[in-house]
Amino acid sequence: MLDIKTLLFASIAARAGFALFFLLFSMVGGARTAFLWWLLSISLSCQGLWLLYGSSASPSPEPLEGTIIYLIFGLSIACVWKGGAAYFDRRIPTDAVILAALGPATAYGGVTQLAPSEPFALVPVLLLMAFSLVRAALVFCNRATWRSPSQ
């Protein structure tokens, strides 16, 4: 059976592979900005996982530590969204990107002060993160405006 450290290593190794891919493609081609956003997203995601699983209170860290961790995850999601928008030459509302970046951290910091038990503190955080990921994924789903960055 796999332990948490093995899963963490596998997750970070996979992200390192994607980071190398994004780094290489950010040096060539027409979508440099998009690949740089995605490289930043992968880097933030690795850092967030490292902090989350390195925490002594994982998976429910202390309020300040958890707020920082979920801020990093929120920024990672916002970078995916910005990268997708840059890749497809789309504009996204700035306030929506700010909500994607700050929402999970704000929710965790606020709810951990009010929630009667720890599992409930993660519910609004995960809902906000899922909503932000769906919004970010919609950039890739609109086939009417798909184009290659070289076009």
Side-chain angles (χ1 to χ4, degrees):
M1 184 152 162
L2 295 176
D3 64 349
I4 197 70
K5 291 185 188 270
T6 304
L7 292 174
L8 178 62
F9 174 78
S11 176
I12 290 177
R15 283 172 170 75
F18 277 109
L20 179 62
F21 174 82
F22 292 145
L23 180 64
L24 291 174
F25 275 90
S26 69
M27 294 179 194
V28 296
R32 288 186 178 135
T33 304
F35 286 113
L36 287 173
W37 278 113
W38 292 331
L39 178 62
L40 181 58
S41 173
I42 289 288
S43 301
L44 288 167
S45 176
C46 280
Q47 184 64 38
L49 280 174
W50 193 304
L51 290 173
L52 180 63
Y53 288 107
S55 169
S56 59
S58 180
S60 297
E62 298 298 319
L64 179 61
E65 185 181 22
T67 300
I68 292 168
I69 290 169
Y70 288 110
L71 174 64
I72 292 170
F73 283 137
L75 288 169
S76 175
I77 293 169
C79 289
V80 168
W81 199 358
K82 290 290 286 181
Y87 188 84
F88 292 112
D89 261 349
R90 296 196 188 146
R91 297 182 85 52
I92 50 177
T94 303
D95 57 343
V97 176
I98 291 171
L99 177 63
L102 299 179
T106 305
Y108 189 83
V111 173
T112 53
Q113 302 298 319
L114 305 172
S117 77
E118 288 181 17
F120 293 113
L122 291 177
V123 171
V125 174
L126 297 177
L127 286 174
L128 275 169
M129 289 174 70
F131 177 74
S132 297
L133 283 169
V134 168
R135 294 278 314 259
L138 289 176
V139 172
F140 298 92
C141 295
N142 187 356
R143 293 180 178 258
T145 58
W146 272 24
R147 68 160 183 83
S148 169
S150 61
Q151 293 177 337

